Amino acid sequence: MTPIAAVAVIGPYRSGKSFLLNQLLSLSCYEGFGVGHMRDTKTKGIWVWGTPVELDVNGVNTSVFYLDTEGFESIGKSNVYDDRIFALATVLSSVLIYNLPETIREADISRLSFAVELAEEFYGRVKGQDFAFEPAKLLWLIQRDFLEGKSVQEMVHEALQHVPNNDGDKNIDQVNQIRESLAIMGGNSTAFSLPQPHLQRTKLCDMKDDQLDPVYVKRRQQLKELVASIIRPKIVQGKLLNGQDFVAFLEQILEALNKGEIPSTGSLVEVFNKGILERCLKRYSETMLNLTLPLTAQSLRDAHERSRGDAMKSFDEQHFGRNHAKRSFMQLEEEIDKAYKNVILANDYQSAKLCEALYVRCEDEMDQLQVLRLPSMAKFNAGLLQCNQSFEQECVGPSKEKYEQRMMKMLGKSKSQFIKDYNQRLFNWLVTFSLVMVVVGRFIIKFILIEMGAWILFIFLETYTRMFWSAESLYYNPVWHFTVATWETLVYSPILDLDRWAVPIGFVLLILVIYWRCYCKRKHGHWLLPLHSNSKGGPSRPRSD
């Protein structure tokens, strides 16, 4: 699509801006912009000549639009309204023609203060990047009848000279500040004089070129050539604007100007930085959303600082303006802080959720270890250690400290309860084991040594310990410690967990015993172990004297 350029004419009302634009477009008053002959202003707001003029600008076909603006200081209009018109024309145009009758007044220079602020904010290079806005060419057009004396360029130079201020007047300081700031646009401005086309100005629209002042006709042609030579396509942030882009650009400007009662450079900066700010904030948010939560507070803070640094760097490289961009910086920082607080809340929630799940899992494991079929201190300690280690490794985030305290209390209570029940359960198991072995030795395998050993163990546990050892002293006796050590060795080891395999092992042993009794006895006809003798049904031995 064809790049766009705009030529705008600004100046006091009734200064001939509409007629000048028609002259530049080679149109009559009846074909082009409306020209009024009354004291009231004819042009309202900003008018755009709808048919662009196609020009070749440095080999690029460019569509040039001409903008006619309502004059300053018209009757019934406030300065705020004038400022909006001036601001819109200043930002939109590629060439800004400042049309002044006869001479330059102090008010005309003060009127440029807004353009100066825009130059400082937008026309300067941003951190070595391309121009945020390609600065408009400022053309001082002085229409006057007297051509003697100083040239218009000298008039402009003299008007922009520093005003002495020996008394320290604040108003003069402000005037001088405007003059100094105009130096920013110094290389971007030029001056041109144009005589009056005819003394009878109310009849200009009905006059042909041969009826106009020949000097005016010649200077008008030179003005056309000058304007054509300084026109450049409108560039915003290094991009040539086409028609669609230009309309979007215009919408941005209108949004900024309508944002407050008084248009300001700051409001313009905010609007133009709005899209950049949103993109940078989105970049920060996407980076933070890609984090796998929960994280430790320090890790989350480090990730935040990295993401924030990238977002701020991106904004610093793209933002509009220099001075007023500080507010956009502050707004971006505020938005990032809000997003970071939301991430902190999400991290707290995920941390609490994870640590709670780990805590409940450990609590369930401790409950299971409390009801082991074969009590084992070694197995309980191993389970407690594994549970504590997994919690330390997997529970992360700000909730870890709180849940660590709960975990320590829960594990401490579980261990105290297990130790309290452990000795009594082990004692009961040994008594039960001795009775079982009595039955096994007596009736199943009929091995008298096993039966005798089982009876000895039973009598020892039920009589000797109760007669000579108290309930407390039993568990501190070396014999009991030896018994506990032997039990722990048999019941639990890293290789064999008898609590888990007791039933399968018992079933296998039962099958082996049955096989031994039923098959081996028939095959060999006698037992290899000393068995209980049964004299019933056997041959009677003769008595001896």
Side-chain angles (χ1 to χ4, degrees), residues 152-171:
V152 291
Q153 191 67 51
E154 291 174 336
M155 288 175 59
V156 171
H157 178 74
E158 184 178 298
L160 297 180
Q161 288 295 313
H162 192 274
V163 178
N165 185 18
N166 299 325
D167 298 331
D169 191 330
K170 293 183 179 180
N171 294 327

Side-chain angles (χ1 to χ4, degrees), residues 243-275:
Q244 184 176 358
D245 298 330
F246 191 81
V247 171
F249 183 55
L250 175 60
E251 291 176 349
Q252 278 186 298
I253 299 171
L254 292 176
E255 179 184 352
L257 294 178
N258 292 328
K259 192 173 184 181
E261 180 181 353
I262 301 175
S264 66
T265 308
S267 61
L268 284 173
V269 171
E270 289 176 29
V271 171
F272 289 123
N273 283 334
K274 181 179 178 181

Side-chain angles (χ1 to χ4, degrees), residues 380-412:
F380 180 86
N381 289 333
L384 185 146
L385 179 62
Q386 181 181 3
C387 184
N388 192 36
Q389 288 178 344
S390 64
F391 179 84
E392 286 293 329
Q393 294 173 358
E394 298 177 30
C395 177
V396 294
S399 298
K400 183 174 184 178
E401 183 177 356
K402 179 180 69 175
Y403 276 90
E404 275 182 337
Q405 297 175 359
R406 292 181 58 186
M407 179 69 71
M408 294 300 294
K409 291 180 180 179
M410 185 270 292
L411 294 179

Side-chain angles (χ1 to χ4, degrees), residues 487-498:
W487 171 265
E488 291 289 344
T489 302
L490 295 174
V491 170
Y492 179 78
S493 69
I495 300 175
L496 177 64
D497 183 4
L498 197 58

Side-chain angles (χ1 to χ4, degrees), residues 181-206:
S181 299
L182 278 172
I184 298 175
M185 302 179 67
N188 237 22
S189 64
T190 186
F192 192 86
S193 64
L194 190 66
Q196 296 296 333
H198 198 277
L199 294 179
Q200 296 181 346
R201 301 190 62 183
T202 58
K203 298 182 179 180
L204 289 177
C205 290
D206 299 322

Side-chain angles (χ1 to χ4, degrees), residues 247-488:
V247 171
F249 183 55
L250 175 60
E251 291 176 349
Q252 278 186 298
I253 299 171
L254 292 176
E255 179 184 352
L257 294 178
N258 292 328
K259 192 173 184 181
E261 180 181 353
I262 301 175
S264 66
T265 308
S267 61
L268 284 173
V269 171
E270 289 176 29
V271 171
F272 289 123
N273 283 334
K274 181 179 178 181
I276 302 173
L277 188 148
E278 291 175 351
R279 290 196 300 272
C280 293
L281 181 61
K282 182 180 178 181
R283 177 175 180 176
Y284 169 84
S285 300
E286 288 178 348
T287 303
M288 297 301 289
L289 286 175
N290 289 332
L291 297 176
T292 302
L293 302 180
L295 295 172
T296 63
Q298 185 60 46
S299 298
L300 185 65
R301 194 178 301 111
D302 292 341
H304 159 71
E305 291 296 335
R306 289 193 299 270
S307 301
R308 178 185 175 279
D310 291 341
M312 299 304 291
K313 180 181 178 182
S314 178
F315 183 81
D316 190 40
E317 292 174 349
Q318 302 177 53
H319 77 274
F320 288 91
R322 292 180 175 178
N323 300 322
H324 291 89
K326 294 178 181 178
R327 182 169 180 178
S328 298
F329 268 109
M330 294 175 61
Q331 184 179 356
L332 178 58
E333 288 182 340
E334 291 176 359
E335 294 297 330
I336 288 178
D337 288 341
K338 291 179 182 178
Y340 179 48
K341 290 178 180 178
N342 292 332
V343 175
I344 290 176
L345 292 176
N347 190 56
D348 291 344
Y349 171 75
Q350 293 295 335
S351 176
K353 182 179 178 181
L354 174 62
C355 294
E356 176 69 22
L358 293 171
Y359 175 84
V360 171
R361 186 180 72 181
C362 285
E363 193 174 37
D364 292 341
E365 291 179 3
M366 291 298 102
D367 291 341
Q368 294 175 4
L369 290 174
Q370 293 287 351
V371 293
L372 292 173
R373 288 187 293 268
L374 301 177
S376 171
M377 181 64 71
K379 183 174 182 178
F380 180 86
N381 289 333
L384 185 146
L385 179 62
Q386 181 181 3
C387 184
N388 192 36
Q389 288 178 344
S390 64
F391 179 84
E392 286 293 329
Q393 294 173 358
E394 298 177 30
C395 177
V396 294
S399 298
K400 183 174 184 178
E401 183 177 356
K402 179 180 69 175
Y403 276 90
E404 275 182 337
Q405 297 175 359
R406 292 181 58 186
M407 179 69 71
M408 294 300 294
K409 291 180 180 179
M410 185 270 292
L411 294 179
K413 290 181 180 179
S414 296
K415 188 168 185 178
S416 299
Q417 184 64 35
F418 184 83
I419 293 174
K420 180 180 178 181
D421 298 339
Y422 173 76
N423 290 313
Q424 186 61 41
R425 290 182 63 194
L426 178 56
F427 187 88
N428 294 338
W429 259 104
L430 292 175
V431 172
T432 303
F433 175 74
S434 63
L435 292 176
V436 171
M437 294 309 297
V438 167
V439 175
V440 171
R442 178 73 177 176
F443 299 103
I444 298 179
I445 64 176
K446 295 182 179 181
F447 187 17
I448 191 172
L449 295 180
I450 294 177
E451 182 185 358
M452 291 175 61
W455 278 115
I456 293 173
L457 178 60
F458 177 77
I459 294 170
F460 173 79
L461 294 172
E462 286 296 326
T463 59
Y464 185 84
T465 57
R466 298 182 185 278
M467 290 175 61
F468 299 100
W469 292 342
S470 64
E472 293 79 8
S473 62
L474 170 65
Y475 304 131
Y476 296 99
N477 191 280
V479 177
W480 178 254
H481 288 174
F482 175 78
T483 304
V484 170
T486 304
W487 171 265
E488 291 289 344

